[in-house]
Amino acid sequence: MSTLPSGNGLAGRRVLLGISAGIAAYKSAQLARLLKQAGCEVRVVMTEGAQAFITPLTLQALTGEPVRTSLLDPEAEAGMGHIELARWADVVLIAPGTADLMARLATGMADDLLTTLCLASEAAKVMAPAMNQAMWRHVATQRNAERLQQDGWRLLGPDSGDQACGDVGPGRMLEPEAIVAELLAQPAETPPQELPARGLHIVITAGPTREPLDPVRYLSNHSSGKMGYALAASAARLGARVTLVSGPVTQTTPEGVERIDVETAREMHEACLRLIAGCDIFIGCAAVADYRVDGVAEHKIKKQEGEDGLTLKLIKNPDIIADVALKREPASHRPLVVGFAAETRDLEAYARDKLTRKQLDMIVANDVSAEGLGFGADDNAALLLWRDGEGESSESLPAQTKTRLADAILRRALSCLPDGPTH
């Protein structure tokens, strides 16, 4: 059974849980239970279509509150009930959020109880999208997602994986535990004086790079970008100005984060060196290709009859984290440099070597061969190594959501700064 820490930041929060018409609605029962377990007051609003997947009676039993399903309910609306409900909420959380609901909210429609509440409420607004992978990737959905974020919505996910329709790809609703962990990471607006990264500029790299072989093929790796994006979201929540240099991923840009898209290691290298003069912390989380092909083919490489193989000559790519660490002069513009070490064996030995050899201030090492952790997973564990006045120190962080792990990594990095921001 999932449990939450006592004294968590959600206790006493009033959560209006909106459920729309997606197969992932069955997960909303577990989400409601976890929110209650966290100490939240929970009231549920369901769209008409959502009731085809899960009954209002189930949610009523889990929350202890009547479930609202209609805008035109004469008994509830006798005292303008939908306005009272909108005013009651601290957080409006929609899970699942379908493509249809996203489209209606993005255009400001109020044609049912849930969309009307969203327009009438001044509460924080959070959504966990869930839909078929093609629907999520569609330009209209991406446009709606961007508009919703501009309007103040915080989007959690979606995740990637097997879907009920048989497809595989982005569009799965985050698991209830991951949604609650995200809310725990940012339960409410934090007063500016309590933001430990306020005034800092943090540059983060994320995702894989792609090194072309010819116009249709490339070399890459399994990085999903989830850890780097979690770090960017955490840094923004802690008050930093965040620039995210991202390889090709399907992740949604975190709220308040500036994103620069790149494809190759050389493009990422150029962007990072351009940014480091004005940053306080540089975090190299991307899984950058160590090698590229010496000479990209102008046309698609064809299979040759009678040949059993293909030989490619690979040359080294620039070492981004090492070059950033070496270009930390003048001292007034010296960023704290944090590297990552994704290993499959001898984790601590390789991490210590990288920390010393590349002159880093801190390194985050993780075992990407561990089942359920690392590339593509929602959870991760890490070994932190850093330099301080007494030499090297270390800390082991157990398996946890990447959101919570990102917070722990950022807070450790902030503790390594000499006296706060340098600018």
Side-chain angles (χ1 to χ4, degrees):
M1 179 180 294
S2 300
T3 59
L4 292 166
S6 60
N8 68 77
L10 290 179
R13 303 287 286 169
R14 294 178 293 189
V15 179
L16 180 62
L17 176 59
I19 305 174
S20 62
I23 183 62
Y26 79 91
K27 295 182 180 180
S28 301
Q30 172 71 348
L31 179 57
R33 191 188 72 82
L34 289 174
L35 290 169
K36 290 288 291 184
Q37 184 188 87
C40 297
E41 295 182 54
V42 182
R43 297 184 184 179
V44 176
V45 172
M46 301 177 69
T47 66
E48 182 179 355
Q51 298 168 65
F53 297 95
I54 187 170
T55 67
L57 185 60
T58 299
L59 278 304
Q60 180 174 317
L62 289 168
T63 63
E65 298 283 350
V67 175
R68 296 287 305 276
T69 60
S70 174
L71 178 62
L72 304 178
D73 181 342
E75 182 176 345
E77 289 304 309
M80 296 298 286
H82 71 280
I83 298 298
E84 291 181 4
L85 193 54
R87 291 171 177 165
W88 171 84
D90 294 318
V91 180
V92 175
L93 169 63
I94 298 180
T98 61
D100 172 73
L101 182 63
M102 290 177 66
R104 289 188 288 131
L105 288 172
T107 55
M109 293 183 69
D111 55 351
D112 64 4
L113 178 58
L114 184 54
T115 52
T116 300
L117 285 169
C118 290
L119 286 186
S121 177
E122 296 181 355
K125 296 180 177 64
V126 184
M127 182 187 299
M131 65 200 72
N132 168 266
Q133 57 85 23
M135 296 173 70
W136 171 253
R137 287 187 169 115
H138 195 281
V139 62
T141 305
Q142 292 300 303
R143 182 173 61 243
N144 292 335
E146 184 176 352
R147 179 60 184 269
L148 287 171
Q149 290 178 100
Q150 291 172 351
D151 289 347
W153 282 87
R154 182 179 171 209
L155 301 188
L156 306 181
D159 203 351
S160 294
D162 296 331
Q163 300 188 318
C165 61
D167 284 0
V168 177
R172 287 170 54 93
M173 187 176 99
L174 288 186
E175 294 303 316
E177 293 81 0
I179 293 173
V180 174
E182 290 277 4
L183 295 177
L184 280 168
Q186 189 184 23
E189 290 297 319
T190 305
Q193 64 272 20
E194 297 179 17
L195 296 171
R198 188 184 184 200
L200 297 173
H201 180 204
I202 299 179
V203 176
I204 301 170
T205 67
T209 60
R210 290 177 177 173
E211 307 303 323
L213 302 178
D214 60 26
V216 297
R217 301 183 181 94
Y218 55 82
L219 300 173
S220 192
N221 56 64
H222 295 295
S223 175
S224 65
K226 288 182 179 180
M227 191 70 244
Y229 276 65
L231 284 164
S234 176
R237 285 195 299 270
L238 295 175
R241 178 168 68 92
V242 184
T243 304
L244 178 64
V245 183
S246 176
V249 297
T250 59
Q251 306 299 319
T252 301
T253 307
E255 181 180 353
V257 172
E258 177 191 4
R259 173 172 162 179
I260 299 173
D261 290 318
V262 298
E263 286 262 344
T264 68
R266 284 181 291 178
E267 290 173 353
M268 185 173 283
H269 180 265
E270 180 183 350
C272 291
L273 293 189
R274 187 174 65 248
L275 291 165
I276 59 169
C279 80
D280 298 283
I281 300 176
F282 179 90
I283 304 177
C285 185
V288 183
D290 292 326
Y291 296 91
R292 67 181 186 276
V293 174
D294 184 14
V296 178
E298 183 179 356
H299 300 287
K300 179 182 176 182
I301 300 171
K302 306 297 289 184
K303 182 169 61 177
Q304 300 297 320
E305 293 296 331
E307 292 187 359
D308 294 330
L310 174 68
T311 300
L312 298 172
K313 181 181 178 183
L314 303 180
I315 58 176
K316 278 188 176 182
N317 272 322
D319 190 326
I320 296 173
I321 196 75
D323 286 351
V324 169
L326 289 172
K327 291 182 179 294
R328 291 182 292 175
E329 297 295 340
S332 60
H333 292 284
R334 182 187 191 277
L336 183 88
V337 180
V338 180
F340 269 67
E343 305 293 349
T344 58
R345 60 189 176 92
D346 298 331
L347 183 68
E348 183 170 351
Y350 282 126
R352 287 192 183 279
D353 174 70
K354 188 173 182 178
L355 179 71
T356 301
R357 178 167 42 85
K358 299 195 176 183
Q359 301 180 43
L360 309 180
D361 298 298
M362 175 175 156
I363 195 162
V364 182
N366 49 65
D367 183 351
V368 293
S369 68
E371 186 176 353
L373 302 177
F375 286 152
D378 292 321
D379 295 344
N380 208 349
L383 171 67
L384 307 187
L385 302 171
W386 68 93
R387 301 176 187 277
D388 55 26
E390 301 177 358
E392 290 184 7
S393 299
S394 65
E395 178 183 9
S396 292
L397 300 175
Q400 55 195 292
T401 66
K402 287 182 176 177
T403 297
R404 301 187 73 175
L405 185 65
D407 283 344
I409 292 169
L410 258 298
R411 291 183 183 278
R412 173 56 63 193
L414 289 170
S415 74
C416 294
L417 285 172
D419 297 301
T422 58
H423 311 294

